[in-house]
Each structure stands twice: as structure tokens, then as C-alpha cells.
Amino acid sequence: MTAERARITVFDTTLRDGEQSPGCSMNHQEKLRLAHQLDRLGVDVIEAGFPIASDGDFEAVRGIAAIVRRPIIAALARACRPDIERAWEALKDAARARIHVFLATSDIHLQYKLRITRDECVVQARDAVRFAKSLCSDVEFSPEDATRTDPDFLCRVLQAVAEAGATTLNIPDTVGYTMPSEFAELITMIRQRVPGIEKVTISAHCHNDLGLAVANALAAVAAGARQVECTINGIGERAGNASLEEIVMAMRVRPDRYPYETGVISEQLFSASQVLSEITGVPVQPNKAITGRNAFAHEAGIHQDGILKNPLTYEIMTPQSVGVPDSKLVLGKHSGRHALGIRCEQLGYEFDRRALDDIYRRFVRLADKIKHVEDHHLLELIRDTHKPSASATPLIEPTTQGVPIEPIPLSIAAAANSVAHEPVRQFPMAPQTNEFGAPLPVPAEHNHHEQEDYLWGV
């Protein structure tokens, strides 16, 4: 019997930390719209804002708390009475509320930003959590810049706030400084040295200044953290936060390494990404993992050939598993005959091998000059090459002349592909091996022309 997987709480801070990205601020209605999408996505906690920051933020948090009822609604507060009172005022109508208190603990922050001593820091953190607890049963505490804090002092602060009633201890890598193995060691140390730690949830909040936010978050989970703080599309201060979609799908695709469950409905990931991009006006980078427009797009001939025969050759998850409608084959200079022939058929032309070779040579020369060959380019090339020719058999009346069309959806291309294969699973199966542990060959029927096409565009 398979052991039950540990449940990881997904704490989304797109509406708070994510909104702090330059140019990504949202008004009340935009925040409410995104909160509804996060609810559909299935996140456990929505950090709706920083109520003391402005009247607009206060109203947005209060509105979300009153309307979005399933997830926990959290509000951020500095470790001082006015912030905490303002946060509670915004949250008090929530079905499930959390006050999130933070205070810097690294020496550089204590000396230059807060100008307080370590002893004063402990007292302030403890008293703030105690006051928050008197208002709300669910209190989270974050020692800002924890990864640059003296470990002994960090444990001292965490023990004080745990004794004061904190239910979640969040460990922020505020400036994206730590390495995955180092962060795992920090989480392990906290679990070993802080009395009563087993009664609270350990959380990780990672920034991406060195491009390691997701790796650090996963390392923390493997070391015993049971909450991850993240954002849609990884937006946030400076280089951003750990990307929610990347963390969730890493655990979904690799349960052998990360045997954990989340409540996230992965089919809603792409919709959440698109809603956020529309609201902020900030596009997702094309090569962004999971939600970028190229995440399931293929241009190289060797990739297109494999994808047409079985998508698992180059896709470790189906696009549908994250809410993307389909894979796409992009016609460019790296494309092969296989994809080109299928595109021609979709446009209404079926060529014999010699004619397709002729079209393909001209296509490659054209693709060397332009980034992507759109349908109207291909139709002009076909008509210039064969006017008309017995080797080109019209299948349908083309209606796309002069109008750029989206790249080929894989489902359409696969329907035109004569090579049958088993239904595609969301994630690849483990490789099959013989009795000695050596991988078994995958059966395939390649004729001379398929092999030749396979080598194009490597």
C-alpha cells in the first residue's frame, strides 16, 4: 500500500508581495477578480494585501475577506500595534482569517534599518505576536532576512514567537541569497533546535535574485517545511518570488522525489497566469516554465517529429494538465518535412515526396530570412513552386491567404499523422527495463524517409 503523501499548504502572495513588482499594482476590482481566480485555482491561503499601506489596500483586503470564503485570507502587518489593528479590522469578516506579522532579524537590518538591538527585537516580535493572537487565532510570523540572520539568534526569536502563540513560522529568503542545500540545512536546524516546533507549521518564502527561488522552496519542503509562499508567474519584488505553477508541477511530475500533495487544481494554472497578465499588463516571458507561450511549442524538426509520433518524447506533462489548450508546432528554419507536410495538408494541399522535398528546400531558405513562416507565406511559396502541378492535390479550398494563423495545435497535427500510438498520459511512465535493469528499446517503424526527416533541424 502506498504511504499517504504529506499535504503542503500553498500560500499565494500575488496580491501582496506580487503587487509590489514595479508596474504591477492593482485596484480594488482587479484584486477581487484575481482573488476569485486564486480561489478557483485551489490555493489554501490568499495574502490579500498590506492594509496599513493605503486606504485602497485596506478596502481590497476587507472586500476579499467578505466575499471569498473558502481559503484563509491573510493580511500583512509590521510588528507594531497600529499595523496589527488595521490588519484585523480588514480581516474580521473573513470566514478564515490570518494575521501575518513580520520583523527583520538579521544584524544588517537591525543596525541600519530598524536601529534596535537583538534583545529589543525579541521583545518586539514576541509582544506583536501575542497582541495579534488576542485578536485572531491564526497568526503567522516571519523573521525578515532569516537566511542572513545569525542561526542562534534566529532560533531564539522563533522560540519566543512560538511561545507567544504563532501558528506558522515562515522562513523568508528575503533577498534571494541562499543556496538550496543551505536552505535545507537551515530548515533542518530549526526543526531540531526550536522547542515546540512540532506544534507549528514551518513555511518558506523564497525570492529569485539568483534564480533559485523554486529550488530553495522545494529544498525547504524536502527538509520539513509544510507551507510554501509563492506567486503566479513568480512576480514580486526585484527578480520576483518562487513561482507557484513551477512548485506545484515539480511535485506533480516528480512524485518520486517530492511525494507531496497540494490542493491546487493544476488545470487552472494557465488561466490564473493569463488573468494576472491581463490585469497588470505585464506579459509572461515566452520561455517561462509551465505558462510561457513556448512551454509547449516546438520548432526543431527532431522535436516536431518526435512530438507527432508521441508527445511524451519531448513533453514531461500534457499541456491540458496545466490548462493550456494544446501543444503547438511552430514553422521555422529548424522545422522538418514531417511538420511541413502536415501543415500543407491543413492548408488544403497534399504533395508526393518529390514535390514536398522541393517545397521544403524553398521553405528552409525562406525561414532563414524570417523568424516564423506563417500560413500566408507558405501558401505563396506553394503557389510559386507549383502553378498548378499534378504533384499537388488540393484537399480543401484554402481560406487563409494573407491572414497569419496560430502555430499548429498538436491535436490537429496528430490527427493528420498516420503513425498511431497509445493514448497520451498526463505524465510519462517509468522506462521499461529487462531483468538485468537495462532499458528496453521502444518499438518504432521508421522508413528511410522518416529517418531522413528526423535528422533535419537537429
Side-chain angles (χ1 to χ4, degrees):
M1 183 179 294
T2 304
E4 186 176 350
R5 293 178 180 172
R7 177 69 150 74
I8 305 301
T9 297
V10 175
F11 179 114
D12 182 275
T13 184
T14 305
L15 294 173
R16 199 278 300 170
D17 199 329
E19 193 195 23
Q20 293 172 204
S21 301
C24 290
S25 61
M26 300 173 236
N27 62 34
H28 186 150
Q29 290 304 314
E30 290 168 339
K31 278 197 164 192
L32 186 58
R33 179 187 172 195
L34 187 55
H36 281 302
Q37 178 59 45
L38 293 172
D39 187 16
R40 287 190 291 271
L41 182 60
V43 303
D44 300 289
V45 185
I46 297 175
E47 188 167 47
F50 192 3
I52 198 73
S54 70
D55 290 341
D57 223 31
F58 173 85
E59 292 299 335
V61 174
R62 184 164 67 173
I64 292 168
I67 295 172
V68 182
R69 310 300 284 176
R70 179 196 59 82
I72 295 169
I73 307 300
L76 188 68
R78 290 168 298 186
C80 60
R81 197 178 187 96
D83 277 37
I84 295 168
E85 288 175 333
R86 188 70 165 163
W88 177 242
E89 183 67 22
L91 290 172
K92 64 182 182 181
D93 293 329
R96 304 167 68 198
R98 176 181 295 182
I99 297 176
H100 181 189
V101 178
F102 76 98
L103 181 65
T105 53
S106 67
D107 287 336
I108 191 169
H109 278 243
L110 294 179
Q111 180 180 352
Y112 293 102
K113 187 180 76 171
L114 300 178
R115 297 182 180 179
I116 60 176
T117 66
R118 286 185 176 185
D119 288 343
E120 289 171 327
C121 174
V122 173
V123 171
Q124 185 174 337
R126 183 196 62 210
D127 290 351
V129 168
R130 186 174 291 157
F131 176 59
K133 188 73 172 182
S134 71
L135 302 173
C136 181
S137 61
D138 189 353
V139 176
E140 176 171 333
F141 177 78
S142 290
E144 187 185 5
D145 205 20
T147 55
R148 294 194 298 173
T149 298
D150 173 74
D152 292 334
F153 180 61
L154 178 62
C155 289
R156 181 183 166 197
V157 174
L158 293 176
Q159 180 179 348
V161 296
E163 292 172 350
T167 49
T168 299
L169 299 181
N170 179 51
I171 311 303
D173 185 26
T174 303
V175 292
Y177 174 74
T178 198
M179 298 288 117
S181 60
E182 188 179 20
F183 201 41
E185 291 168 3
L186 179 62
I187 299 297
T188 300
M189 182 207 70
I190 290 168
R191 293 181 66 200
Q192 292 172 345
R193 294 180 53 184
V194 177
I197 196 70
E198 68 281 354
K199 298 177 183 178
V200 303
T201 299
I202 300 176
S203 174
H205 180 116
C206 301
H207 279 263
N208 205 40
D209 297 71
L210 292 175
L212 295 170
V214 170
N216 282 329
L218 291 171
V221 168
R226 290 295 174 261
Q227 176 178 286
V228 286
E229 303 199 356
C230 43
T231 61
I232 301 298
N233 295 338
I235 69 169
E237 290 275 8
R238 303 179 315 279
N241 287 275
S243 162
L244 182 150
E245 56 274 10
E246 293 174 26
I247 292 172
V248 168
M249 293 312 294
M251 291 190 281
R252 292 279 170 88
V253 174
R254 295 303 306 273
D256 55 323
R257 293 287 179 175
Y258 299 101
Y260 310 106
E261 296 286 355
T262 73
V264 169
I265 301 166
S266 65
E267 291 80 4
Q268 289 288 330
L269 288 170
F270 185 69
S271 294
S273 171
Q274 293 296 297
V275 168
L276 175 62
S277 184
E278 179 187 338
I279 287 173
T280 61
V282 177
V284 182
Q285 66 188 67
N287 63 326
K288 168 75 173 63
I290 315 300
T291 55
R293 74 167 183 262
N294 291 347
F296 296 95
H298 308 272
E299 180 178 333
I302 188 171
H303 288 218
Q304 291 176 338
D305 185 69
I307 284 288
L308 287 167
K309 290 168 180 171
N310 188 327
L312 294 181
T313 53
Y314 287 101
E315 290 182 352
I316 61 172
M317 68 197 88
T318 67
Q320 292 80 11
S321 70
V322 298
V324 175
D326 211 338
S327 303
K328 297 182 185 299
L329 302 183
V330 179
L331 292 182
K333 68 178 182 179
H334 302 108
S335 298
R337 288 181 182 80
H338 198 169
L340 178 65
I342 286 176
R343 191 56 153 180
C344 289
E345 289 180 21
Q346 291 175 324
L347 293 176
Y349 293 91
E350 185 176 14
F351 295 100
D352 60 29
R353 179 65 187 190
R354 179 173 296 180
L356 183 60
D357 284 348
D358 191 16
I359 292 286
Y360 183 73
R361 283 191 291 270
R362 295 167 185 262
F363 162 79
V364 171
R365 288 198 293 269
L366 175 62
D368 259 333
K369 299 176 182 177
I370 61 178
K371 291 184 182 295
H372 296 300
V373 178
E374 303 286 358
D375 284 2
H376 66 283
H377 298 132
L378 188 53
L379 285 168
E380 291 171 7
L381 188 151
I382 290 170
R383 291 174 182 134
D384 287 346
T385 307
H386 302 277
K387 306 181 180 178
S389 168
S391 61
T393 306
L395 300 175
I396 56 174
E397 183 65 28
T399 59
T400 56
Q401 186 172 8
V403 180
I405 293 182
E406 289 294 314
I408 314 171
L410 181 59
S411 57
I412 297 175
N417 178 23
S418 61
V419 182
H421 51 74
E422 294 182 1
V424 177
R425 297 171 174 81
Q426 280 203 340
F427 310 114
M429 297 187 304
Q432 303 299 304
T433 59
N434 63 19
E435 57 186 316
F436 302 106
L440 293 173
V442 179
E445 295 181 3
H446 292 296
N447 60 29
H448 170 73
H449 297 311
E450 286 177 324
Q451 184 64 26
E452 182 183 56
D453 187 57
Y454 181 77
L455 295 175
W456 273 93
V458 176

